Amino acid sequence: MKEKTTGFEGAPNWLTRQRIALYSACILLMELVYLAIRIDGAYVRKIPDFFALGWDFAVFWAASLVTLHGPASNAYDVALTEPIVSALEHAAHRPFPAPWVYPPTFLLAVKWLALLPFAWSYMLFTVLGMVFSGFTWNRILAAPSLSSWLPVLAFPALWITLLSGQNSLFTFGLAAASLVLLDKKPALAGVCIGLLAIKPQLGIVFPLVLLAGRRWRAFSAALITVGVFCAAAGFALGFETFSKFIAAVPQFSKLTVDVNWAGGMPTWFGIARHFGASPIAAYLTHAVMAAPSLALAAFLFAIPSRATLRAAVVAPATLLCQPYLRGYDFVWLALPIAFLILDARRHGWLKGERAVLVTVWLAPLVFFFPPNLQPALWLPPIMAILAGIIFRRARMVTHLIPPVMSETTDDSAEVRTPAAHDVPAD
């Protein structure tokens, strides 16, 4: 039986399999030290305003608590949720409120969180997210050993998500499942896409690419899933929650425009605002800079491109078109990394690609840097370069790319992912 590999066989000496494991272990050790510092500051020394673990999950838990003890629309009442959140975060003097601005679909999913004490609920939520995302990752790029899992476990964006208690592991899992299933089980892929209604801005690229690729079954299934999900949330929580949500969105949008985010907002909009652009000029700049990645995603789905490249382009296009992002959203960068490694296993590497993927993997570390360095502003250019190498790989004629002939290269991963070439539209 052929040995399963990481996909970096044939790499230069500085990027051997052993060094990947070693460097990942070093990063993981640093993240564990950071975790220990957070625990010591928040729970042992009890430093004022030193955020406790699960600072974003606190918003979910507070929304669940007020929903369980009153109308679901109370989740959108900052006066009710803010004291709960501040107490859970160990932050007595927050610079701005932490409102619930998620749609009723997500409120329906997390309504039950407060049935458990905060700490237990946070741990259960985190474990379920890791299991779900880990399962879907393994469906893309099987990791046969602990050394193969080290880069996954050490991925900086994963730790940002775990520490904050965000829902990114669930949205990652849904996006990954939809891309894996799209060619073979389009209706089920559409259901996964529809469930992204828990955080609808992250599903914005999928309708575009499904229409461009004439994936009618997946598109119809996604549309029906969203409709059923919204109806279920309306009947369970009250349809007035939708009006509360619609009212909360512009208020939060104003907050994102007005606040000087520590470390910078990692979007084209954030870069423009950092350099003094007005909100309107920043939004226009953002639209112009995000358009190429959206066009690339639509183009790859419209032509007979390889499925791995179509799957790889969705995440950078999704992230680049968002005017508001935080560190935990960059868990999605694991998707293009995985699909490009898989494509390289089958067709070989092009010059500079491995260096770009290493940079993309390391990029979320910027959120651990001192905020005064404005490190997050580097993220959009890095993602644009990532989209560029996907485009370069897609435009190469397959037979011109030297195949990977390593004895240890494993092609069995094809059964775990979409077919290597386009299939007829459904």
Side-chain angles (χ1 to χ4, degrees):
M1 179 181 295
K2 293 181 180 180
E3 180 190 0
K4 288 183 169 69
T5 65
T6 62
F8 283 91
E9 282 65 31
N13 290 335
W14 64 271
L15 200 56
T16 62
R17 186 188 216 176
Q18 293 74 20
R19 288 184 178 179
I20 291 172
L22 175 62
Y23 300 154
S24 299
C26 292
I27 296 293
L28 181 59
L29 179 61
M30 292 170 54
E31 289 158 342
L32 290 172
V33 170
Y34 181 81
L35 173 62
I37 294 172
R38 301 283 321 194
I39 292 174
D40 178 65
Y43 302 100
V44 180
R45 300 178 186 271
K46 297 182 178 179
I47 300 173
D49 287 344
F50 202 102
F51 276 20
L53 299 181
W55 54 85
D56 276 345
F57 181 79
V59 180
F60 305 165
W61 195 88
S64 170
L65 184 66
V66 299
T67 299
L68 290 173
H69 294 87
S73 58
N74 284 347
Y76 296 93
D77 188 341
V78 177
L80 293 176
T81 60
E82 179 64 17
I84 302 170
V85 173
S86 293
L88 294 172
E89 291 179 343
H90 299 179
H93 306 290
R94 293 180 56 88
F96 56 89
W100 171 269
V101 289
Y102 293 88
T105 46
F106 188 48
L107 183 58
L108 178 64
V110 302
K111 178 182 177 181
W112 322 104
L113 292 178
L115 292 175
L116 291 175
F118 173 75
W120 287 105
S121 187
Y122 164 55
M123 287 189 287
L124 178 62
F125 186 82
T126 299
V127 169
L128 290 176
M130 290 186 68
V131 170
F132 180 46
S133 59
F135 172 78
T136 55
W137 168 272
N138 203 54
R139 297 301 299 172
I140 302 171
L141 196 65
S145 64
L146 176 60
S147 63
S148 301
W149 276 101
L150 274 173
V152 180
L153 297 175
F155 185 36
L158 170 66
W159 281 83
I160 298 169
T161 303
L162 297 178
L163 293 174
S164 64
Q166 258 291 343
N167 61 10
S168 302
L169 294 179
F170 293 98
T171 60
F172 168 89
L174 290 171
S178 67
L179 294 169
V180 168
L181 295 168
L182 186 56
D183 285 341
K184 296 181 179 180
K185 297 181 179 179
L188 188 54
V191 171
C192 294
I193 293 169
L195 292 176
L196 283 172
I198 62 174
K199 198 166 185 179
Q201 67 268 33
L202 293 182
I204 194 170
V205 170
F206 280 102
L208 172 68
V209 298
L210 293 179
L211 290 173
R214 302 177 302 284
R215 303 305 184 95
W216 308 123
R217 276 188 287 175
F219 182 84
S220 299
L223 195 62
I224 292 170
T225 302
V226 171
V228 171
F229 202 178
C230 289
F235 283 113
L237 305 174
F239 285 95
E240 69 276 6
T241 54
F242 284 93
S243 61
K244 292 286 187 179
F245 167 64
I246 292 171
V249 169
Q251 296 175 13
F252 186 73
S253 297
K254 185 177 185 301
L255 177 67
T256 64
V257 170
D258 293 342
V259 169
N260 182 20
W261 292 94
M265 179 64 68
T267 65
W268 296 121
F269 172 85
I271 292 176
R273 288 289 286 164
H274 172 73
F275 288 104
S278 68
I280 293 177
Y283 278 121
L284 288 174
T285 301
H286 182 87
V288 170
M289 298 298 291
S293 61
L294 294 174
L296 174 61
F299 175 71
L300 290 184
F301 273 78
I303 66 171
S305 60
R306 293 197 294 270
T308 44
L309 299 182
R310 294 196 303 266
V313 78
V314 170
T318 298
L319 296 176
L320 282 168
C321 75
Q322 306 296 323
Y324 171 82
L325 285 175
R326 301 306 295 158
Y328 44 76
D329 293 311
F330 291 92
V331 165
W332 276 48
L333 287 180
L335 289 172
I337 292 174
F339 282 111
L340 284 172
I341 289 175
L342 186 60
D343 196 73
R345 281 182 175 179
R346 298 167 178 168
H347 302 285
W349 291 97
L350 298 179
K351 184 177 180 180
E353 285 181 328
R354 287 166 290 209
V356 171
L357 290 192
V358 170
T359 303
V360 170
W361 185 87
L362 288 169
L365 273 178
V366 300
F367 295 101
F368 294 92
F369 291 179
N372 61 300
L373 297 178
Q374 299 290 304
L377 300 181
W378 287 101
L379 267 297
I382 290 173
M383 290 189 290
I385 293 171
L386 173 62
I389 69 168
I390 296 172
F391 173 72
R392 183 180 66 163
R393 179 170 279 269
R395 67 187 290 270
M396 298 291 290
V397 180
T398 302
H399 72 268
L400 293 181
I401 303 176
V404 177
M405 300 302 293
S406 170
E407 289 274 332
T408 60
T409 298
D410 176 38
D411 292 327
S412 64
E414 295 211 16
V415 301
R416 296 177 171 268
T417 59
H421 297 287
D422 196 21
V423 298
D426 36 282

